[in-house]
Amino acid sequence: MSNKLKLNLGPQHPSTHGVLRLILEVEGEKITSCEPDVGYLHRGMEKMAEKLSYIQYLPLVDRIDYLGAFSYSELLCRNIEKALNTELFPRVKAIRVLMLELNRIASHLLWIGSFLMDLGAVSPFFYAFREREIILEYFEKVTGQRMMNNYFIFGGVRRDIFALADVERFLKILPDKLNDYENIITQNPIFLQRTKGKGILDKETALNGSITGVNLRACGVKYDLRTSDYLYKDYEFTPVVLDGKDAWTRYKARILEIKESAKLIAQAIEKINQNPKFEQDLINPINLILPEGEYYSEIEAPRGLASCYIKSEGGKNPYRLKWRTGSYYSVNLLRRLLVGEYLNDAIAIAGSLDIVLPEVDK
């Protein structure tokens, strides 16, 4: 007689961060198999592109990852700009880097807060959201929206940047705030017990599973797309590469990545100040027809490599459009990571991957 039991973790579960269902098979307290069941949130984001013009579709792409919206706006704009040989002016490039990296920090802060909340720690959740609120207030001031900003436009941005003093003040307080987080979290014995040695992700498994971003770099693979991205060509930063492979290392890597993003933001502000004239070569979206062909662009998004593929037949809307998102591959990884682990560690391991379900159910 088998002692195995099937359990549903989600989709109505606060710690699956969206409508994710994990069908677990357990023997006693140990997980013997995991089958992710996705699709509950599916919205047809790729299919909708075939019926909409490029400018009609642009506001929707922010919803693919509502925590990393600027990355997906940048991808669609980048494809259009590459296809039409449109070069961004230096100030606009710096503005895009500024907003992308602020968005990355905001995303990581939300992850830190929610991850610790999953593990039962309430205070870090409020601390992380306190700092994230400063970024969202700045986004609202510049773009008119706290999230789903729709700020990048084909050939530039919707309006010039301003109130950079707000960002500079944020950069000044951020190091002390990160130290506060680390003092509370990093060597906390309960946190160490819940994350050290849990969810081991080795290089081979990560590469075979197409894992990218922080989750890949936390297992020792030096791959950060920003090192070859044209927007970051004149920026100095050090990709965060650690070799711990476990949930704790993935936490530590995101703390360090926030610090690197802060350095990039400071450089972006400097470049904005060096190019005071705001000029753009905007593409008229009303008459926009993409030449026949295939177009591809990629970017280092908060949850890993994200890419956009467009096949055009020379019309005002794509014949086919395809997104590649980091979370899609991270969910699939749970088939491997959870097997052999204890049931009470499942949330800590899944949470350490920073999965956002809209990226999965496109």
Side-chain angles (χ1 to χ4, degrees):
M1 181 178 176
S2 175
N3 292 321
K4 291 184 178 179
L5 176 70
K6 280 199 172 181
L7 292 177
N8 284 302
L9 181 61
Q12 281 78 35
H13 191 296
S15 294
T16 56
H17 297 268
V19 281
L20 171 63
R21 178 189 180 210
L22 299 176
I23 305 170
L24 304 178
E25 192 175 74
V26 297
E27 188 168 5
E29 289 293 319
K30 279 213 169 181
I31 300 170
T32 57
S33 75
C34 170
E35 182 67 27
D37 184 19
V38 300
Y40 292 89
L41 196 66
H42 187 64
R43 298 158 295 156
M45 291 295 291
E46 294 172 341
K47 197 65 180 175
M48 280 194 290
E50 299 172 15
K51 300 298 181 183
L52 299 172
S53 69
Y54 293 100
I55 192 61
Q56 288 174 326
Y57 188 58
L58 181 60
L60 299 181
V61 303
D62 287 348
R63 277 84 176 161
I64 294 172
D65 177 6
Y66 56 90
L67 300 180
F70 282 101
S71 295
Y72 289 92
S73 290
E74 169 64 24
L75 280 175
L76 184 60
C77 290
R78 187 175 293 190
N79 259 352
I80 303 299
E81 290 153 6
K82 284 167 64 176
L84 300 178
N85 296 314
T86 300
E87 179 69 26
L88 298 179
F89 285 91
R91 183 178 177 90
V92 173
K93 284 184 181 180
I95 290 171
R96 286 195 179 182
V97 170
L98 174 77
M99 301 306 262
L100 284 165
E101 294 306 316
L102 279 172
N103 198 190
R104 193 184 311 276
I105 291 177
S107 176
H108 287 345
L109 288 174
L110 184 142
W111 173 82
I112 290 168
S114 59
F115 182 51
L116 269 293
M117 178 71 88
D118 290 345
L119 301 183
V122 178
S123 294
F125 176 84
F126 290 109
Y127 296 157
F129 268 64
R130 177 187 60 195
E131 275 66 75
R132 179 174 175 266
E133 181 68 18
I134 299 172
I135 297 176
L136 296 192
E137 286 179 354
Y138 184 70
F139 286 166
E140 185 176 18
K141 182 181 287 187
V142 174
T143 73
Q145 300 289 339
R146 291 164 58 85
M147 298 169 68
M148 279 72 80
N149 309 92
N150 192 25
Y151 177 62
F152 296 166
I153 192 70
F154 308 138
V157 293
R158 291 199 178 273
R159 60 189 65 84
D160 194 10
I161 203 78
F162 59 90
L164 288 174
D166 293 357
V167 182
E168 291 171 335
R169 282 194 292 271
F170 173 72
L171 294 181
K172 285 181 181 178
I173 69 167
L174 185 60
D176 287 340
K177 301 302 182 184
L178 290 176
N179 287 337
D180 289 345
Y181 300 167
E182 294 226 62
N183 289 336
I184 297 170
I185 303 167
T186 306
Q187 296 303 323
N188 183 293
I190 299 174
F191 182 67
L192 289 173
Q193 192 173 5
R194 296 295 304 277
T195 57
K196 273 285 186 181
K198 310 293 185 181
I200 298 296
L201 175 61
D202 58 67
K203 294 180 184 179
E204 183 180 1
T205 302
L207 292 170
N208 287 340
S210 298
I211 302 302
T212 54
V214 179
N215 294 330
L216 179 65
R217 294 190 290 275
C219 62
V221 179
K222 188 176 182 179
Y223 181 73
D224 190 321
L225 206 61
R226 288 174 292 179
T227 58
S228 57
D229 192 307
Y230 86 102
L231 278 183
Y232 294 84
K233 183 180 178 182
D234 300 320
Y235 289 78
E236 294 182 5
F237 79 106
T238 304
V240 176
V241 182
L242 303 177
D243 200 20
K245 303 180 179 66
D246 57 11
W248 184 90
T249 309
R250 292 189 281 276
Y251 150 79
K252 183 65 176 179
R254 288 183 175 88
I255 289 284
L256 296 174
E257 181 149 305
I258 290 175
K259 296 179 181 180
E260 291 301 319
S261 289
K263 294 177 186 176
L264 289 168
I265 291 168
Q267 294 174 64
I269 292 174
E270 185 178 344
K271 293 182 187 302
I272 290 170
N273 291 332
Q274 289 171 356
N275 296 276
K277 187 178 180 181
F278 180 62
E279 50 186 346
Q280 302 188 100
D281 185 13
L282 294 181
I283 299 167
N284 185 345
I286 305 301
N287 301 320
L288 173 58
I289 295 178
L290 215 61
E292 185 175 349
E294 298 181 54
Y295 305 97
Y296 175 83
S297 59
E298 56 188 5
I299 197 170
E300 183 72 31
R303 266 150 288 282
L305 187 149
S307 64
C308 178
Y309 164 82
I310 297 175
K311 179 176 176 62
S312 172
E313 292 191 338
K316 289 190 174 184
N317 49 284
Y319 172 75
R320 181 76 176 93
L321 186 144
K322 174 69 177 174
W323 295 100
R324 192 261 191 216
T325 61
S327 292
Y328 183 84
Y329 297 91
S330 296
V331 165
N332 194 47
L333 188 64
L334 293 174
R335 301 173 193 268
R336 299 284 299 274
L337 288 194
L338 293 188
V339 173
E341 300 284 357
Y342 286 102
L343 180 60
N344 62 353
D345 292 324
I347 290 299
I349 295 167
S352 72
L353 298 176
D354 190 12
I355 294 165
V356 170
L357 264 296
E359 270 201 335
V360 180
D361 295 338
K362 301 183 290 296

